[in-house]
C-alpha cells in the first residue's frame, strides 16, 4: 500500500509539471514555444564535433536559426522525439528555408556517446544535424550559462546508468539570442508553425 | 472491451496501427482476494534508433473495484524489460526504475512518452516500424496478460500520445 501511495503522489507531480509549461507568451508573440521574458545570449564555447574537429558554437552558428538541445543517445523518448519531430518538419520546408537552420545536439553523456555513436544516432534523424561532445564539466558549465538545468548522472552499474537532462530545445534567431524554448510535448504542428517564422524574425516591435 | 475510434487525422498510418492494437484484450482472473479485470489498449514501442533498446507504452484501465499492480514485463524481443518512470524537476527530466506500478481500482494507468514506460533492453533482433510482437505483462492479482505491441517511428509517437490524451486529458503527458 505504501508503494501505491508513493506512485500516486508522483503521478500528481507529473501531471502538474505537464500542464504548467508552454503557454505563456504565446498570445503576444504568436509563437507556440515558450518566450523568455529576457532573451538569452549565445554562450561562447568550443566542443568536438562528430568528425573529431573543434566546433566553435558562436562562429559556426552565426547567421543561422540555431536549435540547441542537450541530451544523450540512450534517452528513451524525450531526446529522440524532439529530434524526430524537428527532422520531420525541416524536411517539409523548402530548401532555401531549411538551409537557414542549424540543429545542434550536445551530449550530456560523453562517456558513452562517442563522436561515432553520436553521428550514427543523429543520422537516423537527419545527417545534417550536428553532434557535439566534450568534457562533462564543461558541458554542464555551458548549460548553466544558458540558464538550463545541468545534467545529472547517476551511476547505477558500470554498463547502465541514468542521465537527467534539460527537456527543452533552445531556439536562437539570427540576432544570436534565444528568445524561445520548446518544451517536451512540442508537436510537429507547433514546429511547422514556428520554424519558418523564426527565419525572418527581427524582434523589432 | 473498448476500442478507440477518435484518432488524430494527421498521421493516418499511426492511427491505423493504433486502431489495430486498441483491441488487445482483457485479463479476468481471480487469483487475488478479489477478481481483477484489466483492459489494455494502444500497446506500442518506438522504433529503436541504434537497435539496442527502446521504450514500450500502453494504457491500462482497471474495470474492477480492487487495485492491481504491474510487477513485470517480458518479451522474446528483449533480454530484459524494466519498469521506469520519468521524473520532471522543473525543466529537467530523468528516468528511474521502479518495482511496480499501481493500476487503481476503477482507474487508469497510462504509460506514455515523457512518463512511465517499459524499457526493453538488450534487444534480440531488429525492430522496424510496422513490426508487431508479443509481450507478457505480469500483474499481482490479475496474473499474466498477453499483449501484442506495434513498432512506431519516433516521428509518429506524438500521434500515439495524442490518442492517449484524448481519452484521458488529465493523464500523464
Amino acid at each position: 500500500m505504501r508503494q501505491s501511495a508513493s506512485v500516486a503522489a508522483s503521478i500528481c507531480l507529473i501531471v502538474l509539471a505537464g500542464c504548467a509549461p508552454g503557454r505563456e507568451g504565446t498570445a503576444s508573440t504568436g509563437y507556440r514555444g515558450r518566450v523568455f521574458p529576457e532573451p538569452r545570449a549565445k554562450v561562447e564555447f568550443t566542443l568536438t564535433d562528430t568528425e573529431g574537429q573543434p566546433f566553435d558554437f558562436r562562429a559556426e552558428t552565426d547567421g543561422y536559426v540555431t536549435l540547441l538541445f542537450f541530451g544523450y543517445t540512450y534517452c528513451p523518448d524525450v531526446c529522440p522525439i524532439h529530434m524526430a519531430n524537428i527532422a520531420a518538419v525541416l524536411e517539409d520546408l523548402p530548401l532555401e528555408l531549411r538551409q537557414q537552420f542549424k540543429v545542434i545536439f550536445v551530449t550530456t553523456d560523453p562517456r558513452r556517446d562517442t563522436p561515432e555513436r553520436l553521428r550514427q544516432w543523429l543520422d537516423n534523424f537527419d545527417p545534417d544535424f550536428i553532434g557535439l561532445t566534450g568534457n562533462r564539466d564543461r558541458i554542464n558549465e555551458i548549460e548553466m550559462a544558458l540558464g538550463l538545468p545541468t545534467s545529472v548522472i547517476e551511476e547505477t552499474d558500470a554498463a547502465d546508468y541514468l542521465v537527467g537532462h534539460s527537456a527543452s530545445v533552445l531556439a536562437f534567431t539570427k540576432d544570436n539570442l534565444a528568445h524561445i524554448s520548446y518544451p517536451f510535448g512540442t508537436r510537429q504542428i507547433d514546429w511547422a508553425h514556428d520554424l519558418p517564422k523564426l527565419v525572418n524574425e527581427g524582434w523589432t516591435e | 472491451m473498448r476500442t478507440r475510434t477518435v484518432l488524430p487525422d494527421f498521421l493516418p498510418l499511426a492511427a491505423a496501427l493504433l486502431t489495430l492494437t486498441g483491441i488487445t484484450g482483457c485479463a479476468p482472473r481471480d487469483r487475488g482476494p478479489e477478481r481483477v479485470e484489466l483492459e489494455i489498449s494502444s500497446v506500442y514501442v518506438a522504433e529503436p534508433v541504434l537497435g539496442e533498446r527502446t521504450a514500450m507504452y500502453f494504457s491500462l484501465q482497471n474495470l474492477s473495484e480492487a487495485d492491481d499492480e504491474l510487477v513485470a514485463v517480458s518479451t522474446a524481443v528483449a533480454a530484459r524489460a524494466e519498469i521506469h518512470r520519468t521524473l520532471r524537476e522543473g525543466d529537467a527530466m530523468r528516468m528511474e526504475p521502479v518495482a511496480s506500478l499501481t493500476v487503481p481500482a476503477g482507474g487508469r494507468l497510462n504509460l506514455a512518452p515523457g512518463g512511465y514506460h517499459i524499457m526493453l533492453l538488450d534487444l534480440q533482433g531488429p525492430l522496424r516500424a510496422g513490426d508487431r510482437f508479443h509481450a507478457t505483462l505480469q500483474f499481482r492479482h490479475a496474473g499474466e496478460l498477453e499483449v501484442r505491441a506495434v513498432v512506431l517511428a519516433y516521428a509518429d509517437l506524438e500521434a500515439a500520445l495524442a490518442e492517449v490524451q484524448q481519452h484521458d486529458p488529465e493523464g500523464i503527458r
Side-chain angles (χ1 to χ4, degrees):
Chain A
M1 243 33 246
R2 192 149 297 180
Q3 175 67 34
S4 62
S6 80
V7 169
S10 358
I11 293 174
C12 296
L13 286 172
I14 289 169
V15 168
L16 287 174
C19 295
R23 294 298 168 256
E24 68 267 34
T26 51
S28 56
T29 65
Y31 281 101
R32 305 268 174 93
R34 273 189 270 180
V35 177
F36 293 124
E38 288 296 323
R40 298 182 188 179
K42 269 184 191 166
V43 173
E44 298 269 356
F45 66 83
T46 298
L47 290 172
T48 305
D49 70 14
T50 53
E51 303 299 310
Q53 298 302 309
F55 184 94
D56 179 336
F57 174 70
R58 174 81 201 225
E60 298 273 2
T61 61
D62 194 35
Y64 291 88
V65 176
T66 305
L67 304 179
L68 177 65
F69 184 69
F70 292 81
Y72 63 112
T73 66
Y74 283 91
C75 173
D77 46 33
V78 175
C79 316
I81 288 175
H82 266 318
M83 292 299 111
N85 285 347
I86 293 168
V89 170
L90 284 178
E91 200 187 338
D92 285 343
L93 292 184
L95 184 63
E96 70 268 22
L97 278 184
R98 207 191 318 155
Q99 285 172 332
Q100 300 182 58
F101 286 89
K102 282 200 176 172
V103 178
I104 296 179
F105 181 92
V106 180
T107 181
T108 57
D109 185 11
R111 198 177 103 194
R112 287 185 299 189
D113 286 343
T114 59
E116 299 73 31
R117 185 179 165 89
L118 267 179
R119 183 72 269 145
Q120 218 187 335
W121 190 80
L122 288 168
D123 280 351
N124 279 277
F125 305 105
D126 187 331
D128 288 334
F129 286 2
I130 295 159
L132 298 180
T133 184
N135 177 283
R136 210 172 84 75
D137 293 338
R138 180 68 190 122
I139 292 168
N140 266 338
E141 281 170 21
I142 296 163
E143 287 179 279
M144 228 182 301
L146 287 165
L148 298 174
T150 54
S151 53
V152 184
I153 293 200
E154 289 171 47
E155 305 270 348
T156 50
D157 63 60
D160 197 19
Y161 54 88
L162 307 171
V163 183
H165 63 105
S166 164
S168 294
V169 178
L170 281 186
F172 293 89
T173 35
K174 291 174 184 173
D175 57 2
N176 290 317
L177 297 173
H179 297 259
I180 306 186
S181 76
Y182 291 89
F184 178 65
T186 302
R187 305 257 171 94
Q188 286 164 41
I189 197 168
D190 303 318
W191 288 113
H193 176 272
D194 281 13
L195 291 184
K197 215 166 126 64
L198 287 168
V199 170
N200 297 309
E201 181 57 77
W203 301 106
T204 45
E205 298 103 84
Chain B
M1 179 98 41
R2 211 161 149 195
T3 53
R4 309 300 184 203
T5 49
V6 190
L7 290 159
D9 55 5
F10 56 94
L11 278 169
L13 171 68
L17 293 172
L18 286 168
T19 308
L20 287 169
T21 55
I23 37 173
T24 316
C26 301
R29 300 283 177 102
D30 43 14
R31 271 189 215 168
E34 291 178 65
R35 182 184 163 91
V36 173
E37 196 174 339
L38 298 171
E39 182 187 277
I40 186 161
S41 58
S42 299
V43 188
Y44 58 98
V45 305
E47 182 179 40
V49 182
L50 293 178
E52 303 153 339
R53 52 172 63 196
T54 190
M56 180 180 184
Y57 311 95
F58 44 81
S59 294
L60 284 165
Q61 172 92 47
N62 187 342
L63 302 170
S64 50
E65 288 172 7
D67 289 356
D68 205 344
E69 264 179 279
L70 175 69
V71 292
V73 176
S74 60
T75 171
V77 306
R80 289 186 293 145
E82 293 178 357
I83 306 171
H84 281 204
R85 66 175 169 191
T86 299
L87 296 176
R88 289 179 194 240
E89 285 152 358
D91 185 46
M93 292 177 101
R94 68 187 168 87
M95 62 173 191
E96 64 177 26
V98 292
S100 67
L101 292 177
T102 298
V103 201
R108 297 182 68 89
L109 172 69
N110 291 331
L111 283 75
Y116 298 120
H117 54 275
I118 307 298
M119 276 314 289
L120 302 182
L121 301 161
D122 299 333
L123 294 176
Q124 303 295 292
L127 288 178
R128 301 279 174 231
D131 287 355
R132 284 151 204 284
F133 62 87
H134 289 274
T136 305
L137 313 187
Q138 178 78 43
F139 295 90
R140 192 166 307 286
H141 302 302
E144 288 187 348
L145 175 56
E146 286 288 327
V147 300
R148 198 158 73 122
V150 64
V151 182
L152 298 178
Y154 269 108
D156 292 338
L157 285 198
E158 65 172 28
L161 186 53
E163 199 259 350
V164 170
Q165 284 174 321
Q166 231 159 22
H167 289 274
D168 188 19
E170 298 302 308
I172 299 155
R173 181 171 179 157

